Amino acid sequence: METVEKPQAVDTVEKEDSASKDETKEKCEVYSIRPKLENKFKPLSAKEIIHNVLFEQLAEKEYDEAEAKSWAKKITEIIRERLKKLDCKKYKFIVNAIIGSKNGAGMKVGTRCIWDAETDTYAHDSYNNDTLFCVVAVYAIYNYS
């Protein structure tokens, strides 16, 4: 069971009671629901992870239609596990891998997402050899709950 972290007070501010004539001041805690800079997802770190995994897993392989599905699944699982080690608290990761045969045909892929541009982001990389190509995209979505 996942534990829910309680937000930590970022700052305290003094609040004046304007209704009162004796100008009493009270301290209030201010909470931030956005990640701190050191906890934000870093796309360059993720791109390096993707790049390394693609070379580790595909460097010696030739395209095999029967095996491509299991390769893609293994690649996404390895990348997801390594991303967790980056310690980007409260981020959820979506890892998408496409492996195809290099036979001269073109391919277009489109993705559409609704997210918070201040906290959510993505990273991607690709790998090519003589017989196959692989494109991986990682989406990092900040979980506010």
Side-chain angles (χ1 to χ4, degrees):
M1 185 172 167
E2 193 173 323
T3 59
V4 177
E5 291 182 22
K6 193 174 184 182
Q8 296 180 355
V10 175
D11 200 2
T12 56
V13 293
E14 290 186 2
K15 182 173 108 177
E16 290 185 24
D17 186 2
S18 59
S20 171
K21 292 184 180 182
D22 59 2
E23 291 190 27
T24 59
K25 293 184 179 183
E26 150 186 359
K27 288 192 176 188
C28 299
E29 291 182 342
V30 178
Y31 292 91
S32 175
I33 61 171
R34 300 213 180 272
K36 294 180 181 177
L37 184 60
E38 62 269 11
N39 293 335
K40 276 189 145 182
F41 178 76
K42 294 163 184 66
L44 288 177
S45 298
K47 185 174 179 113
E48 184 178 337
I49 289 171
I50 296 166
H51 182 80
N52 291 340
V53 170
L54 290 177
F55 274 89
E56 289 167 11
Q57 297 299 312
L58 299 175
E60 302 294 320
K61 299 218 178 354
E62 289 188 20
Y63 183 75
D64 180 356
E65 184 178 356
E67 294 292 321
K69 183 177 178 180
S70 64
W71 296 343
K73 185 175 181 181
K74 184 176 181 181
I75 287 168
T76 58
E77 289 170 353
I78 293 169
I79 291 171
R80 190 170 40 91
E81 290 304 314
R82 291 188 187 176
L83 288 171
K84 287 180 182 179
K85 292 177 184 175
L86 290 178
D87 199 32
C88 297
K89 294 177 180 166
K90 297 180 84 177
Y91 273 92
K92 302 292 181 187
F93 300 111
I94 300 167
V95 183
N96 184 22
I98 300 169
I99 297 178
S101 172
K102 278 180 89 173
N103 58 8
M107 183 180 90
K108 291 186 180 183
V109 176
T111 303
R112 213 176 263 208
C113 301
I114 298 174
W115 65 22
D116 183 345
E118 290 185 32
T119 57
D120 303 339
T121 188
Y122 71 97
H124 64 90
D125 202 5
S126 60
Y127 173 84
N128 289 293
N129 68 19
D130 292 337
T131 63
L132 66 84
F133 68 90
C134 181
V135 180
V136 173
V138 171
Y139 303 94
I141 313 300
Y142 187 73
N143 184 3
Y144 286 97
S145 60

